[in-house]
Amino acid sequence: MIRASLEWIGRYGTLLMPLGIVIGCLFQPLAELLRPTLAVCVFLMLAVVLSRLEIQHALAHLRKPRVFLWSLVWAFVAMPALFIAVLHVFPQSPGVNAVLIIYATSPPNFGAAALAFIMGLDGALTVATIFASTALHPIITPLFTEIFAEGAIAISGLDLAVRLAGLIGGSSLAAWGLRSWLGAERRKASSGIFDGLNVIIMVVFAIALMDGIPARVIAQPAYALGLAVLATGLHIGLNLITVAAFWLTGRQRAYTFGYSHSGRNIAVVMSVLGSAAPDDAWLFFAMLQFPIYCLPMLLRPLYLHLLPQRL
């Protein structure tokens, strides 16, 4: 019964995930109650994603590393350079500048891995990209925030690096323990369960993140709407730009990289920053969940149409 329920949740994850935002906005006491679980949700999402890493598939990407390495250069060199250039020409508030630097230097969203499997993209490539990007995360993001965040973050780059390394290292150990306990066959047979668990964790995360957001939106509706438009525009724009950058590597790879790199996972940084992050950063982070949770409903049928040979 539990297995069937989790598999059903995973199957309809793209439709169920937006409920987290709706529930969180409508039931603020529940959002406030779940707010302390944000870091736990991030830990669990990362552990579940890393436990699904198929070593053989990851090594296959590394045996032909040109495209894989280009994806890392794109994520951690090209994208941050583009963001820094744009922010130099069109500066925002210190808090928004800081969170955009975090966005530009963060790995793909953990939920992208589960959704990549659900939507018919290359899930193994997505997980391998997340794994490599996440390993670099404690180095790249603190370096850029220390140089370019202009003091908007209330902790040093070194402190941020230590916190990130602790969260990522702990979840990696949990993933290794889960992989060892399940074994290869049970892990493969449990893919639907993993999909369902990821969806549930993402829904709880969205509910918790909405704590206090409706009041902030009511107090500053135009500003909040502007951040929502910015977040959605970034998500769609980065998807299209990345697809174009990887188009010659093949359609499936291009769509996979486009989807995974457009939804950057700033949840890890925000969860370890806590109150050290500016209020504007938290508001942008909340607005960012709308494209992350809602666009998959629109993208899934598009990918099913564009990649029929995969399904």
Side-chain angles (χ1 to χ4, degrees):
M1 182 65 180
I2 295 177
R3 181 189 185 98
S5 299
L6 288 173
E7 290 176 344
W8 183 88
I9 291 171
R11 217 164 24 245
Y12 295 99
T14 56
L15 298 175
L16 296 173
M17 286 195 313
L19 289 176
I21 296 175
V22 175
I23 293 170
C25 289
L26 292 179
F27 300 96
Q28 283 291 284
L30 178 61
E32 183 180 2
L33 178 66
L34 293 177
R35 181 63 180 252
T37 68
L38 281 174
V40 176
C41 288
V42 172
F43 179 93
L44 292 175
M45 278 191 279
L46 181 54
V48 171
V49 166
L50 294 180
S51 70
R52 297 190 70 171
L53 178 64
E54 294 295 339
I55 303 299
Q56 298 86 345
H57 291 164
L59 292 176
H61 291 299
L62 294 177
R63 280 194 289 269
K64 296 179 180 179
R66 184 175 300 177
V67 174
F68 186 69
L69 291 176
W70 166 231
S71 76
L72 296 181
V73 171
W74 178 259
F76 290 126
V77 179
M79 283 293 98
L82 176 62
F83 272 66
I84 290 167
V86 171
L87 289 175
H88 182 72
V89 178
F90 303 103
Q92 306 297 313
S93 70
V96 174
N97 279 347
V99 78
L100 288 176
I101 293 297
I102 292 171
Y103 183 87
T105 58
S106 292
N109 194 312
F110 299 152
L115 293 175
F117 286 103
I118 293 170
M119 295 194 296
L121 299 175
D122 190 336
L125 178 59
T126 304
V127 174
T129 302
I130 290 174
F131 181 76
S133 301
T134 302
L136 294 171
H137 194 24
I139 300 171
I140 302 296
T141 299
L143 177 64
F144 275 90
T145 56
E146 184 73 13
I147 297 172
F148 296 105
E150 301 177 349
I153 296 174
I155 62 173
S156 68
L158 179 60
D159 191 2
L160 176 58
V162 171
R163 294 187 189 189
L164 285 174
L167 178 61
I168 293 169
S171 56
S172 299
L173 286 174
W176 175 80
L178 183 59
R179 288 173 60 86
S180 301
W181 176 62
L182 288 174
E185 292 301 320
R186 286 173 63 193
R187 196 170 64 249
K188 183 178 292 187
S190 302
S191 60
I193 296 176
F194 281 124
D195 288 341
L197 286 173
N198 249 326
V199 171
I200 292 172
I201 296 168
M202 290 181 72
V203 168
V204 173
F205 178 83
I207 294 172
L209 186 58
M210 291 302 114
D211 177 34
I213 296 301
R216 182 77 188 274
V217 171
I218 293 171
Q220 296 178 291
Y223 186 61
L225 178 61
L227 289 183
V229 171
L230 174 62
T232 304
L234 282 175
H235 205 284
I236 296 173
L238 286 181
N239 194 327
L240 295 175
I241 293 171
T242 304
V243 168
F246 287 89
W247 186 254
L248 294 181
T249 68
R251 282 197 305 168
Q252 189 196 17
R253 279 180 172 175
Y255 293 140
T256 298
F257 283 129
Y259 177 72
S260 60
H261 283 304
S262 62
R264 296 305 184 90
N265 183 24
I266 69 173
V268 177
V269 175
M270 297 302 290
S271 67
V272 299
L273 283 177
S275 60
D279 288 341
D280 285 351
W282 279 106
L283 182 59
F284 175 83
F285 183 34
M287 296 300 103
L288 185 61
Q289 305 314 303
F290 286 92
I292 288 176
Y293 280 71
C294 298
L295 283 180
M297 288 191 298
L298 304 176
L299 291 176
R300 186 173 188 269
L302 179 63
Y303 289 140
L304 293 180
H305 174 71
L306 294 172
L307 295 170
Q309 71 277 11
R310 292 285 300 173
L311 302 165

